[in-house]
Amino acid sequence: MSQFPDAKFILSANSRAQFPPDTGSEVAVAGRSNAGKSSAINVIVNRRQFARTSKTPGRTQLVNFFELRPAQKLVDLPGYGFARVSESVRRHWGRLMQDYFESRSCLHGLILVADIRRQLTDFDQQMIAFAASVDLPVHVLLTKADKLKRGKASTALLQVRKELGKTATAQLFSAQTRQGEDEAREVLESLLAGS
Ligand SMILES: Nc1nc2c(ncn2[C@@H]2O[C@H](COP(=O)(O)OP(=O)(O)OP(=O)(O)O)[C@@H](O)[C@H]2O)c(=O)[nH]1
Ligand SMILES: [Mg+2]
C-alpha cells in the first residue's frame, strides 16, 4: 500500500507564472539529467510511471509539481548537466531554477539524486552549497546502487558522507531493486514536516 494513496500530478510549469500557489509544505527533487530522479519518485510514491522517466537525458525541461497529500507537494525539477542541448535551453533551465528557488517559501527540503557510479559532480556540489546558504536541508540519494557490488556501494556511500560532512545526509538507493525506499520515505516525511 502506498503511503500516499491520493498522490496526484498537479502541473508542469515552464515559467514562474505557472507555479502553483506557494502554500503548505514542499520538497524538491534535483539532480543531474538522467540520474534517476523520476524513477526515484515513482518508487517513493509507489506508483509506476507517476513521474515520467526517459532514456533521453535533458528531455524533461519542466518543473513538475505533484500533490502527495493536501498541503504537501513534491517537485520533480529538470535535470542539469546535459551535454547535447543548446545554450538557450541551458539558459532557460538556469532562469527556471532561479525563479523556483527564489519564489517558494513553502520549500522545506531538497532531495538530491546522484548516480552512485559518478559520485558527486561539481553541479551537485554547487546545489548543496546553495541549499546550505539558504538553510535548506539536503538528503542525497545515491541511486542505481544495483549497478555496483554491495561492498563497492558501501564504500561509495562512506566516501560521499565524508565529502558532505554536515551539509547533507546520504543513503544508498535503487529504483530497480527498491533498496532504500523506506529510508527515503522517512526522510521525505520528516522534510515535509519541517523537522
Ligand atoms: N539500473 C538502474 N537504472 C535506473 C535506476 N533509476 C533510474 N534508472 C534508469 O536511468 C534512466 C533515467 O531515469 P530517469 O528516472 O528518467 O532520470 P531523470 O533523472 O528523471 O532524468 P531527466 O528527467 O531526463 O533529467 C532510465 O533509463 C531509468 O530506467 C536505478 O536505480 N537502477
Ligand atoms: Mg525526470
Side-chain angles (χ1 to χ4, degrees):
M1 228 308 253
S2 171
Q3 222 163 302
F4 307 103
D6 299 319
K8 58 174 189 274
F9 170 74
I10 306 174
L11 57 83
S12 295
N14 193 33
S15 69
R16 185 181 195 139
Q18 295 169 349
F19 295 164
D22 180 26
T23 55
S25 154
E26 189 164 288
V27 169
V29 180
R32 200 188 155 84
S33 183
N34 214 40
K37 297 175 293 298
S38 302
S39 305
I41 290 174
N42 290 334
V43 166
I44 292 169
V45 179
N46 208 5
R47 299 260 199 95
R48 229 179 268 183
Q49 290 294 356
F50 182 66
R52 234 170 282 157
T53 60
S54 77
K55 287 202 163 65
T56 322
R59 210 165 61 175
T60 332
Q61 287 304 301
L62 299 166
V63 180
N64 297 307
F65 290 85
F66 301 92
E67 183 183 271
L68 292 173
R69 304 187 184 105
Q72 292 189 337
K73 289 195 277 310
L74 187 65
V75 181
D76 189 6
L77 293 171
Y80 46 75
F82 28 86
R84 287 190 298 264
V85 297
S86 67
E87 188 52 39
S88 71
V89 168
R90 237 171 287 191
R91 236 180 293 128
H92 175 73
W93 180 89
R95 202 162 42 229
L96 199 55
M97 285 298 109
Q98 192 176 351
D99 284 350
Y100 177 76
F101 285 107
E102 276 177 9
S103 67
R104 307 302 284 179
S105 324
C106 62
L107 185 61
H108 279 50
L110 186 68
I111 293 179
L112 193 111
V113 177
D115 188 323
I116 192 165
R117 297 165 300 176
R118 290 171 178 262
Q119 295 279 315
L120 299 181
T121 64
D122 285 355
F123 224 116
D124 292 329
Q125 307 277 16
Q126 283 174 33
M127 204 71 166
I128 291 162
F130 163 76
S133 75
V134 293
D135 275 334
L136 189 66
V138 181
H139 183 66
V140 177
L141 294 186
L142 281 181
T143 195
K144 308 194 185 181
D146 57 279
K147 297 274 194 184
L148 294 186
K149 292 219 169 84
R150 203 174 279 258
K152 282 215 159 142
S154 306
T155 306
L157 176 62
L158 287 177
Q159 213 170 312
V160 165
R161 279 189 175 150
K162 204 164 136 193
E163 212 177 311
L164 291 170
K166 287 187 176 145
T167 56
T169 52
Q171 68 160 102
L172 296 177
F173 190 86
S174 165
Q176 190 156 302
T177 64
R178 307 184 72 100
Q179 176 182 356
E181 63 171 326
D182 292 339
E183 188 180 351
R185 246 180 245 123
E186 270 166 39
V187 173
L188 171 62
E189 294 280 20
S190 74
L191 290 172
L192 285 168
S195 55

